Amino acid sequence: MMRFKKVYIEITNVCNLRCSFCIGNSRKSKFMSIDEFSIILDKINGYTKYLYFHILGEPLMHPNIVDFINLANEKGFFVNITTNGYLIDKLKGVEGIRQLNISLHSFNPINGVSIDDYLNSIFSTIDSFSNTFVSLRFWVGTNDDILNGIVKHYNIDFLPLDFDKFKVSDNIFLSKSHEFIWPDLNNNYYNRVGKCYGLIHHIGILSDGSVVPCCLDSKGIINLGNIFSDSLLDILNSDRVSKMINGFRCSKKVEELCCHCGFLDK
């Protein structure tokens, strides 16, 4: 029955930063309980093996982050986490994380932490891992001091000027991409033509249990149902989901929010 390459789970929509590039949270602040998380794991069992703690919010803000990782592992899931890196000390020495994605473009000196302290905390934590893959992500135009700090710490002799991904070691990679525009009904982007992997390769579950088609529907505009009250099978068999999937396969966006998303459009 395995259907999705991954399922995004927003264990909290609360963040410790206010980044200028982030769409921000307009929903009620929420920390998912361990019982709620356990219910979700049981309901998505068989649909995927890979969890991504990422939609909106900073997952390391959750006081039970390690318990969430351990429970997911116990139930046979592989855990992937996306973080801004400021609270990364909470993961030092923690096993059971398949991949850790660190959004280095989140660094800003106005947050009260020096770039050296920020990077040293990240290096200290990821160097404590034994089997975790780490993706050090940044956008084109990110502070050069961040890249220089990485080059110095890992003794990188040569770094191509133009690269999308660079292998630092067996488990650590640099990943560079351009900043994207969050899909929003009020943004200036609009295109009815385009494909998406939402509902085909992945789905998202917000902290209140709302099921959304992808990790970019941070406001829950395309609310397909609630994992706590509905079965995932019923949600995925709905006419709305069917129309979206058929549309994407024909390069047609049937939902208004999707028309305001240019993440995969060229």
Side-chain angles (χ1 to χ4, degrees):
M1 186 179 69
M2 204 69 64
R3 176 165 178 174
F4 300 112
K5 289 185 176 180
K6 52 193 169 185
V7 171
Y8 292 94
I9 301 181
E10 181 189 75
I11 62 174
T12 180
N13 58 12
V14 177
C15 189
N16 55 326
L17 303 181
R18 291 179 177 268
C19 298
S20 60
F21 55 78
C22 182
I23 195 170
N25 182 30
S26 58
R27 293 176 281 126
K28 182 179 179 180
S29 297
K30 165 76 173 174
F31 288 87
M32 190 178 289
S33 72
I34 194 73
D35 288 338
E36 290 172 329
F37 183 62
S38 182
I39 291 171
I40 291 174
L41 296 186
D42 290 340
K43 287 203 170 188
I44 65 174
N45 183 34
Y47 284 92
T48 191
K49 280 291 183 181
Y50 297 92
L51 309 181
Y52 281 68
F53 292 175
H54 172 61
I55 293 184
L56 203 63
E58 167 54 52
L60 302 193
M61 284 284 288
H62 203 296
N64 303 117
I65 179 63
V66 177
D67 294 330
F68 276 55
I69 295 169
N70 292 337
L71 180 59
N73 289 165
E74 289 171 9
K75 288 181 177 284
F77 293 94
F78 298 98
V79 175
N80 305 268
I81 300 175
T82 297
T83 175
N84 58 44
Y86 276 88
L87 302 174
I88 200 168
D89 286 345
K90 297 177 74 172
L91 298 180
K92 194 168 185 178
V94 174
E95 299 295 338
I97 305 171
R98 174 187 173 270
Q99 181 169 322
L100 182 67
N101 307 311
I102 306 173
S103 302
L104 297 174
H105 43 270
S106 300
F107 173 78
N108 193 317
I110 67 172
N111 294 322
V113 178
S114 71
I115 192 167
D116 287 340
D117 288 344
Y118 175 72
L119 288 177
N120 287 336
S121 180
I122 290 173
F123 295 148
S124 176
T125 298
I126 65 178
D127 290 346
S128 74
F129 296 147
S130 56
N131 298 306
T132 300
F133 291 99
V134 177
S135 177
L136 300 172
R137 299 178 174 180
F138 55 96
W139 285 336
V140 174
T142 299
N143 193 324
D144 287 341
D145 289 339
I146 290 178
L147 190 56
N148 292 336
I150 295 171
V151 169
K152 180 179 179 181
H153 180 77
Y154 291 106
N155 298 313
I156 300 174
D157 294 327
F158 173 74
L159 185 66
L161 292 177
D162 188 20
F163 70 91
D164 295 323
K165 181 173 287 188
F166 179 84
K167 186 176 182 179
V168 175
S169 68
D170 288 342
N171 288 54
I172 301 176
F173 299 84
L174 301 182
S175 179
K176 180 172 65 174
S177 61
H178 288 273
E179 182 177 349
F180 66 90
I181 299 174
W182 281 86
D184 187 88
L185 295 176
N186 297 314
N187 69 21
N188 294 322
Y189 183 89
Y190 196 87
N191 188 357
R192 284 198 170 274
V193 178
K195 295 185 178 182
C196 182
Y197 297 118
L199 295 173
I200 300 172
H201 290 173
H202 61 266
I203 57 171
I205 301 175
L206 301 182
S207 53
D208 66 355
S210 298
V211 177
V212 292
C214 75
C215 67
L216 294 180
D217 187 3
S218 62
K219 295 182 179 180
I221 293 173
I222 308 176
N223 189 337
L224 303 173
N226 194 287
I227 197 71
F228 298 131
S229 57
D230 308 316
S231 76
L232 187 53
L233 181 61
D234 288 343
I235 292 172
L236 297 177
N237 283 340
S238 69
D239 289 340
R240 190 178 190 183
V241 168
S242 179
K243 289 176 181 178
M244 289 184 69
I245 292 175
N246 291 334
F248 289 144
R249 287 174 174 164
C250 297
S251 296
K252 179 182 178 181
K253 303 174 182 178
V254 300
E255 290 281 344
E256 194 68 10
L257 180 67
C258 300
C259 296
H260 285 272
C261 178
F263 186 75
L264 289 181
D265 295 350
K266 302 295 182 183

